[in-house]
């Protein structure tokens, strides 16, 4: 049988674009189909009043020379004409927990020194924590870009250990317990479920070296698309896949909203597994597999405000500010819509002109999908006065909370733009606007693990639901998926060789 393409990739998020770029490097003919007018998934940027805002990539780690993400970015040419700014060494993240501030410095030695400074009587607990985190990281060879003749995720004891219970086992100091847990917002942590390996890999990622993209985050997706196109591939936007045609346990073709039908030898879905299942007709895939994908539990959604500021009013912070009104940083586990908001994550876009003042900042916190669900079936441009009022009231509450710590903020605002769980659903396609996709559960590590292979012989998954969310996790998911065809070790050798 003749095919139009070697690979068709559904969705142009980072995982899909990296798969496409890597396969194009290996001479494959690629087609990527994207439902939105802009490709890139969480890398998308939008322009308001001449200023660009990102939609999901707020900062990234492991970008020092020789570190895993640096190697991957170098391999994919993502340092060519794209610049990154290292966040403050003395504190890339600042946490306000119940009125007390704590800084997370870059580098594990500096982190240790700062924690001991905060908690001088807890040195053994702090050393035990760091030792165990580093042990977890060393066991996850893929995250270190080490070849190991195995394309499977190394599911070990740390997938079955609960993060919160582990931290509590180290110390009875309640403040230290919360500080060591403080980065859980960036993986949508749930106190009763989040496994230690997720906590360890995410914390190591940022503590090892935290950076921001200078300028548009969409520069990354644009660079990858240009590589795909230069190698003869195609990326088509405004082309949502509406059905996947199957026969004899294989995908035969996909059909888009425009009515176009495309065939390929292999297909990769970069959209959520349950969304992928909705595209396959009844009987087109094993019912047990479909049910399992549809039962996956997902992380909580988000509410975000992107603010354009007046000139020379609000100082640029080269760090992120994390505020917790109470003394428990596991906000997703204690979420209460009646007392919302009780948390925010604030970040500043790097000033392009080198100014000491910020021009654009973002405020981000959790929100449950149920609060906006009544508008879900209405076109995004026609949701009306009720939805607009809801967004405005919530925005004012979040701005009010942030202004308590930063009194100059409220008077510095020129304009702002709001995203709700419906925005994440509309543009990213994650169920109920889930912020980080599938939730990992230490009680069910195999059940919450998504393998790249599906029950259709030529349909594969990639993206944040596969391995680990975040830019490193998604990058590794692309290596895992492409490893099914070219061998994971071969790809890792290419990446490591390119770094030398």
């Amino acid at each position: 049988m003749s095919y139009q393409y070697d690979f068709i990739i559904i969705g142009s998020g980072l995982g899909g674009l990296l798969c496409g770029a890597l396969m194009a490097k290996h001479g494959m003919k690629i087609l990527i189909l994207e439902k939105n007018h802009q490709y890139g998934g969480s890398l998308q940027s939008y322009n308001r009043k001449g200023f660009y805002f990102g939609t999901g990539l707020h900062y990234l780690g492991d970008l020092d020379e020789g570190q895993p993400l640096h190697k991957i970015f170098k391999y994919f040419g993502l340092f060519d004409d794209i610049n990154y700014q290292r966040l403050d060494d003395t504190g890339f993240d600042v946490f306000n927990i119940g009125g007390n501030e704590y800084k997370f410095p870059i580098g594990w030695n500096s982190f240790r020194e700062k924690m001991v400074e905060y908690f001088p009587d807890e040195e053994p607990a702090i050393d035990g924590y760091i030792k165990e985190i580093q042990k977890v990281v060393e066991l996850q060879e893929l995250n270190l870009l080490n070849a190991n003749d195995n394309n499977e995720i190394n599911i070990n004891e740390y997938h079955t250990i609960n993060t919160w219970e582990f931290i509590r086992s180290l110390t009875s100091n309640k403040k230290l317990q919360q500080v060591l847990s403080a980065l859980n917002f960036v993986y949508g942590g749930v106190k009763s479920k989040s496994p230690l390996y997720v906590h360890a890999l995410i914390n190591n990622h940022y503590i090892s070296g935290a950076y921001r993209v200078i300028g548009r985050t969409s520069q990354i997706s644009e660079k990858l698309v240009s590589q795909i196109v230069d190698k003869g591939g195609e990326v088509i936007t405004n082309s949502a896949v509406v059905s996947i045609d199957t026969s004899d346990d294989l995908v035969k073709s996909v059909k888009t909203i425009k009515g176009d039908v495309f065939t390929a030898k292999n297909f990769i879905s970069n959209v959520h597994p349950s969304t992928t299942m909705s595209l396959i007709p009844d009987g087109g895939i094993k019912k047990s597999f479909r049910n399992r994908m549809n039962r996956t539990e997902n992380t909580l959604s988000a509410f975000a405000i992107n603010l354009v500021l007046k000139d020379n009013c609000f100082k640029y912070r080269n760090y992120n500010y994390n505020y917790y009104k109470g003394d428990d940083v596991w906000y997703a586990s204690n979420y209460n819509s009646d007392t919302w908001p009780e948390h925010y994550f604030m970040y500043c876009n790097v000033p392009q002109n080198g100014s000491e003042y910020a021009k654009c900042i973002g405020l981000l916190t959790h929100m449950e999908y149920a609060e906006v669900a009544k508008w879900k079936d209405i076109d995004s441009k026609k949701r009306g006065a009720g939805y607009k009022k809801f967004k405005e009231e919530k925005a004012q509450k979040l701005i009010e909370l942030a202004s308590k710590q930063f009194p100059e903020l409220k008077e510095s605002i020129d304009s702002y733009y709001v995203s709700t769980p419906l925005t994440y659903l509309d543009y990213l396609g994650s169920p109920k606007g889930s912020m980080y996709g599938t939730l990992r559960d230490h009680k069910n590590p195999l059940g919450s693990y998504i393998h790249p292979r599906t029950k259709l012989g030529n349909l594969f998954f990639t993206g944040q639901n596969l391995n680990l969310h975040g830019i490193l996790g998604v990058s590794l998911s692309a290596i895992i998926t492409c490893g099914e065809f070219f061998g994971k070790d071969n790809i890792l050798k290419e990446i490591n060789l390119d770094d030398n």
Side-chain angles (χ1 to χ4, degrees):
M1 179 177 177
S2 61
Y3 303 98
Q4 293 170 281
Y5 300 92
D6 294 307
F7 289 89
I8 289 177
I9 299 171
I10 304 170
S12 69
L14 178 62
L17 291 177
L18 288 172
C19 282
L22 198 152
M23 288 172 168
K25 275 177 174 274
H26 287 81
M28 300 292 106
K29 187 176 181 182
I30 305 299
L31 170 66
I32 299 181
L33 297 169
E34 168 56 48
K35 73 167 188 171
N36 294 315
H37 72 278
Q38 185 182 163
Y39 45 73
S42 295
L43 296 172
Q44 294 176 70
S45 301
Y46 66 91
N47 186 316
R48 294 292 184 271
K49 293 191 172 184
F51 299 97
Y52 283 93
F53 292 96
T55 55
L57 177 59
H58 307 302
Y59 70 137
L60 58 164
D62 268 328
L63 210 59
D64 285 350
E65 191 167 351
Q67 292 178 342
L69 193 62
H70 186 281
K71 292 181 179 182
I72 293 170
F73 271 32
K74 184 177 178 182
Y75 176 75
F76 284 101
L78 298 179
F79 289 112
D80 299 341
D81 304 317
I82 305 176
N83 296 310
Y84 306 84
Q85 179 157 305
R86 185 180 173 95
L87 298 185
D88 281 356
D89 284 329
T90 58
F92 66 90
D93 266 295
V94 177
F95 298 92
N96 184 319
I97 305 172
N100 297 309
E101 285 191 354
Y102 306 92
K103 291 183 177 181
F104 272 27
I106 292 177
W108 281 108
N109 289 337
S110 297
F111 177 85
R112 180 192 182 280
E113 289 175 6
K114 181 59 70 174
M115 292 301 106
V116 171
E117 178 184 322
Y118 291 138
F119 303 97
D121 296 332
E122 295 290 332
E123 194 166 355
I126 293 164
D127 285 340
Y129 171 81
I130 294 172
K131 180 181 178 181
E132 207 67 15
I133 294 299
Q134 293 178 338
K135 185 177 177 182
V136 178
V137 173
E138 288 168 4
L139 281 175
Q140 301 297 320
E141 293 186 312
L142 175 62
N143 289 68
L144 301 174
L145 304 185
N146 292 336
N148 63 1
D149 298 319
N150 181 8
N151 200 39
E152 301 293 330
I153 294 293
N154 179 17
I155 294 180
N156 54 52
E157 62 179 304
Y158 295 108
H159 289 66
T160 64
I161 295 174
N162 175 266
T163 297
W164 175 240
E165 291 303 323
F166 162 71
I167 291 173
R168 287 181 63 200
S169 73
L170 295 172
T171 177
S172 60
N173 187 306
K174 295 188 181 303
K175 288 186 177 180
L176 178 57
Q177 290 172 0
Q178 295 299 326
V179 172
L180 296 180
S181 303
L183 263 177
N184 83 83
F185 176 70
V186 299
Y187 58 86
V190 173
K191 186 184 282 188
S192 63
K193 295 185 177 183
S194 294
L196 183 56
Y197 90 95
V198 171
H199 174 87
L201 296 178
I202 294 292
N203 275 257
N204 183 69
H205 175 65
Y206 289 112
I207 291 173
S208 295
Y211 287 76
R212 284 180 182 145
V213 179
I214 299 177
R216 295 174 293 107
T217 55
S218 57
Q219 295 174 90
I220 294 173
S221 51
E222 290 165 6
K223 180 69 69 174
L224 293 169
V225 167
S226 69
Q227 293 174 19
I228 293 166
V229 173
D230 287 347
K231 297 288 186 180
E234 299 174 64
V235 180
I236 305 177
T237 56
N238 296 312
S239 292
V241 171
V242 295
S243 65
I244 297 174
D245 180 43
T246 70
S247 177
D248 300 324
D249 292 329
L250 293 171
V251 176
K252 298 301 181 184
S253 63
V254 295
K255 183 178 180 180
T256 72
I257 196 168
K258 298 176 182 178
D260 297 320
V261 176
F262 298 101
T263 63
K265 187 175 181 180
N266 290 290
F267 298 79
I268 296 173
S269 177
N270 186 213
V271 300
H272 192 282
S274 67
T275 304
T276 306
M277 294 302 103
S278 72
L279 303 175
I280 302 173
D282 289 343
I285 196 167
K286 287 184 178 180
K287 188 175 180 180
S288 59
F289 184 78
R290 183 194 295 273
N291 290 341
R292 182 183 163 233
M293 295 300 102
N294 288 336
R295 283 197 304 266
T296 55
E297 187 177 0
N298 295 293
T299 54
L300 203 58
S301 190
F303 181 91
I305 312 175
N306 288 320
L307 303 102
V308 176
L309 305 179
K310 298 172 185 174
D311 291 338
N312 304 323
C313 289
F314 191 85
K315 287 285 185 73
Y316 170 72
R317 273 86 175 170
N318 198 40
Y319 55 85
N320 306 306
Y321 194 85
N322 305 261
Y323 175 83
Y324 292 92
K325 188 175 182 179
D327 58 4
D328 192 335
V329 299
W330 296 88
Y331 185 49
S333 303
N334 303 300
Y335 184 87
N336 186 334
S337 59
D338 293 331
T339 55
W340 186 99
E342 298 179 273
H343 157 268
Y344 62 83
F345 169 88
M346 185 184 79
Y347 59 93
C348 301
N349 290 6
V350 179
Q352 297 261 21
N353 58 2
S355 171
E356 64 178 307
Y357 291 93
K359 192 64 185 176
C360 306
I361 69 168
L363 297 173
L364 181 67
T365 191
H366 278 310
M367 177 173 278
E368 285 186 339
Y369 175 78
E371 295 174 64
V372 294
K374 63 183 177 181
W375 293 290
K376 69 181 175 65
D377 295 322
I378 304 172
D379 183 276
S380 62
K381 297 178 181 177
K382 300 178 181 178
R383 287 181 176 139
Y387 183 58
K388 185 177 181 180
K389 181 182 177 184
F390 173 87
K391 292 196 297 181
E392 179 65 23
E393 289 176 350
K394 294 295 184 181
Q396 287 301 319
K397 284 185 177 182
L398 190 55
I399 291 170
E400 189 68 36
L401 182 63
S403 296
K404 291 179 180 179
Q405 298 304 125
F406 302 96
E408 73 275 26
L409 175 60
K410 192 181 294 185
E411 297 303 317
S412 300
I413 298 171
D414 176 80
S415 55
Y416 60 84
Y417 309 91
V418 176
S419 299
T420 75
L422 290 180
T423 315
Y424 291 91
L425 175 63
D426 292 341
Y427 288 94
L428 302 181
S430 54
K432 297 186 177 181
S434 168
M435 197 172 177
Y436 301 119
T438 53
L439 178 69
R440 275 60 172 184
D441 187 348
H442 80 283
K443 299 172 188 172
N444 187 19
L446 285 172
S448 56
Y449 166 62
I450 307 296
H451 196 278
R453 288 186 174 271
T454 70
K455 295 302 180 181
L456 297 173
N458 63 343
L459 176 64
F460 301 80
F461 289 132
T462 200
Q464 70 173 358
N465 301 289
L466 195 66
N467 173 48
L468 191 70
H469 81 271
I471 199 160
L472 177 61
V474 172
S475 300
L476 295 172
S477 83
I479 293 171
I480 293 169
T481 302
C482 292
E484 294 290 328
F485 305 97
F486 308 119
K488 177 177 64 67
D489 284 2
N490 293 329
I491 297 169
L492 293 176
K493 288 172 184 174
E494 287 182 19
I495 292 171
N496 285 309
L497 183 65
D498 192 68
D499 191 57
N500 294 327

